[in-house]
Amino acid sequence: MTDTKGTVLITGASSGIGAIYADRFAARGHDLILVARNLGRLTDVAALLKEKHGVQVKTIAADLGSEEGLSAVEAVLAEDQAITHLVNNAGFGSAAPLTAADVRDMQAMVAINVTAPLRLTYAAVPRFIARGKGTIINISSIVAIGPEILNGVYGGTKSFLLAFSHSLRKELAGTGVNVQVVLPGATGTEFWDVAGLPASNLPTEWVMSAADLVDAALLGLDRGEFATIPSLADAAEWDAWEAARTAMLPHLSSREPAERYQR
Ligand SMILES: NC(=O)c1ccc[n+]([C@@H]2O[C@H](COP(=O)([O-])OP(=O)(O)OC[C@H]3O[C@@H](n4cnc5c(N)ncnc54)[C@H](OP(=O)(O)O)[C@@H]3O)[C@@H](O)[C@H]2O)c1
């Protein structure tokens, strides 16, 4: 039995980054609950990891874009006392500009990339606070910093995750609940096929493997890092951005418009 390490619930674990998280947490001795729509792929991942690492692996076939799917995963998060980690990873993107994108696809993207992690976090946090321990990992993207890079709605959804993570970190300080936000750059997964721009179109020097991405992100987690950007060579660039943002905070609300807006 390995449940003393706690169970990790990972959304979008049937492929790509989520499947690698599953492998790496199983290698650390964690039991797993894997969520995605494709039960066949989930079952294959689960069988492989049980065999390879000797951990318990449950699967939940759920469409996180549906109320039924969300409620099923929320119930597990709220009730399963063994869950110690939530990895909000399921998501999809698009490379289409506004005029070429179907607005219903954009709305579906908001449901998976924003509403699902929001709902699952709200389900997990009260139990994590009650036990004084827990970890939430939100898979954002570098487009949270550069929403102009791909589809704008995709950038907006990932900016939400960065902003939400900032707030969670502040609100959960002192509760024992840890928050990490991961901002991958281009990563070699099926994401790019779904987004309509297969990764083979990108310069190879831009594209990290999912294995390298997750290993770097877990190193960041082990170091207690809040925001992990595995591709960013100079961490001081993030620190400078954060310093500029936080320096501005005390100046963002006042009774009078700034002098430049006065006639
Ligand atoms: N690859 C990149 O370049 C990159 C860069 C930055 C951030 N990210 C983020 O990384 C995360 C993982 O993506 P990936 O690169 O690993 O791509 P991926 O291989 O396409 O994985 C996406 C995962 O999400 C699941 N999923 C999609 N829609 C779902 C739904 N409605 N309900 C439940 N699960 C759903 C998929 O499983 P099913 O199809 O079986 O449901 C799959 O397991 C995403 O949030 C993505 O935005 C990726």
Side-chain angles (χ1 to χ4, degrees):
M1 286 292 289
T2 52
D3 58 356
T4 49
K5 283 229 164 190
T7 298
V8 183
L9 188 145
I10 304 168
T11 67
S14 63
S15 66
I17 293 168
I20 300 285
Y21 264 109
D23 177 70
R24 298 311 195 253
F25 274 118
R28 291 174 174 215
H30 290 274
D31 292 334
L32 303 171
I33 302 176
L34 308 180
V35 180
R37 290 166 301 181
N38 188 323
L39 181 59
R41 291 181 94 175
L42 276 182
T43 307
D44 289 348
V45 173
L48 179 79
L49 297 183
K50 279 184 208 165
E51 170 75 22
K52 190 173 164 193
H53 300 296
V55 297
Q56 308 288 316
V57 187
K58 292 183 194 157
T59 57
I60 306 176
D63 181 350
L64 294 174
S66 74
E67 183 56 38
E68 190 191 2
L70 271 179
S71 301
V73 182
E74 276 177 331
V76 171
L77 280 166
E79 286 156 23
D80 187 336
Q81 299 295 324
I83 298 173
T84 52
H85 294 58
L86 166 63
V87 184
N88 281 313
N89 165 75
F92 71 94
S94 167
L98 185 142
T99 50
D102 183 325
V103 72
R104 281 161 301 214
D105 292 343
M106 300 296 102
Q107 197 173 339
M109 191 192 293
V110 173
I112 309 302
N113 294 8
V114 174
T115 308
L118 178 164
R119 290 270 300 265
L120 300 187
T121 300
Y122 266 73
V125 160
R127 218 178 35 69
F128 285 178
I129 291 176
R131 72 185 288 162
K133 201 171 171 210
T135 298
I136 297 167
I137 300 172
N138 288 326
I139 306 302
S140 174
S141 165
I142 57 153
V143 301
I145 297 171
E148 306 92 340
I149 296 172
L150 287 174
N151 170 277
V153 177
Y154 179 61
T157 65
K158 293 300 178 178
S159 297
F160 166 81
L161 275 177
L162 177 57
F164 188 45
S165 300
H166 272 298
S167 167
L168 282 173
R169 177 172 64 150
K170 176 171 180 280
E171 291 201 16
L172 298 176
T175 65
V177 185
N178 186 30
V179 179
Q180 184 196 25
V181 60
V182 179
L183 284 71
T187 310
T189 70
E190 294 168 21
F191 169 91
W192 291 94
D193 303 294
V194 177
L197 180 70
S200 53
N201 292 294
L202 303 176
T204 51
E205 62 271 23
W206 285 6
V207 184
M208 189 176 290
S209 73
D212 283 351
L213 182 275
V214 173
D215 288 338
L218 286 172
L219 199 56
L221 181 73
D222 293 342
R223 290 177 179 159
E225 205 169 65
F226 165 64
T228 299
I229 311 177
S231 318
L232 186 67
D234 184 359
E237 289 181 358
W238 166 265
D239 294 340
W241 196 58
E242 267 300 282
R245 191 180 71 83
T246 49
M248 212 181 351
L249 293 181
H251 312 137
L252 291 174
S253 195
S254 76
R255 190 161 60 89
E256 299 284 339
E259 200 176 326
R260 70 187 176 284
Y261 299 118
Q262 293 180 21
R263 291 180 195 282

